[in-house]
Every structure is written in C-alpha cells, then in structure tokens.
Amino acid sequence: MDHDVAPDLIPFSIDLTFEEARRRAEVVAALGPDWDPVAALRSEDEAHTLLYSGLDADQQRTYDVLVRAGILPGGDAGHAAAH
C-alpha cells in the first residue's frame, strides 16, 4: 500500500484537542451564566431518589440486584454505575 499523497489531493489535518476545547467552551457558553452545575446534580439526585422510592418488595429486590451488578447507581446517587 502506497502511503504517499496523490498529486491531485491536498493534505488536510485538524487539531482535535483544540476543537474539543472549543466545543466544550461553546457548550458552557450556551448553558448561560445562570447554569449551576451543583444545583443540576442535586436535582438529578432528587429525581433518582424519587424514581426509586415506593418500590414494592419484588421491585426492591430487582433494584438491589441491579445495584449490586453495577447496572444502576446505588446509595451514592449522582455517580455513574461502575463498568
């Protein structure tokens, strides 16, 4: 396989590190100055608690199995399941 650039093609390169930093900056800018990441995480934790509250015994057993398997986050809400 010939790794030389064909004479009719123009070499192209892009700095992905710079582009990722630019993308992240744009996301944060789009969120606006009122975005509070701590409040957002707190709201996610509250939603998780509400979602898994009031389970019947069978649902609770299933939930416990999924937590032990690392599929669902357990007591430390706000953290992704370990894989």
Side-chain angles (χ1 to χ4, degrees):
M1 180 174 183
D2 188 7
H3 293 288
D4 294 330
V5 176
D8 57 336
L9 297 178
I10 299 172
F12 176 77
S13 66
I14 187 167
D15 181 352
L16 294 177
T17 303
F18 173 78
E19 290 302 320
E20 178 62 12
R22 185 194 60 74
R23 185 195 67 80
R24 288 181 182 194
E26 292 295 329
V27 167
V28 171
L31 290 170
D34 297 327
W35 180 65
D36 182 353
V38 174
L41 181 57
R42 190 177 314 113
S43 294
E44 287 180 17
D45 288 345
E46 291 168 0
H48 178 269
T49 300
L50 182 61
L51 179 64
Y52 294 107
S53 67
L55 301 177
D56 64 29
D58 188 46
Q59 291 168 330
Q60 186 64 52
R61 279 191 299 276
T62 301
Y63 173 80
D64 293 341
V65 167
L66 294 173
V67 168
R68 280 193 304 274
I71 296 168
L72 291 176
D76 54 339
H79 300 285
H83 291 281

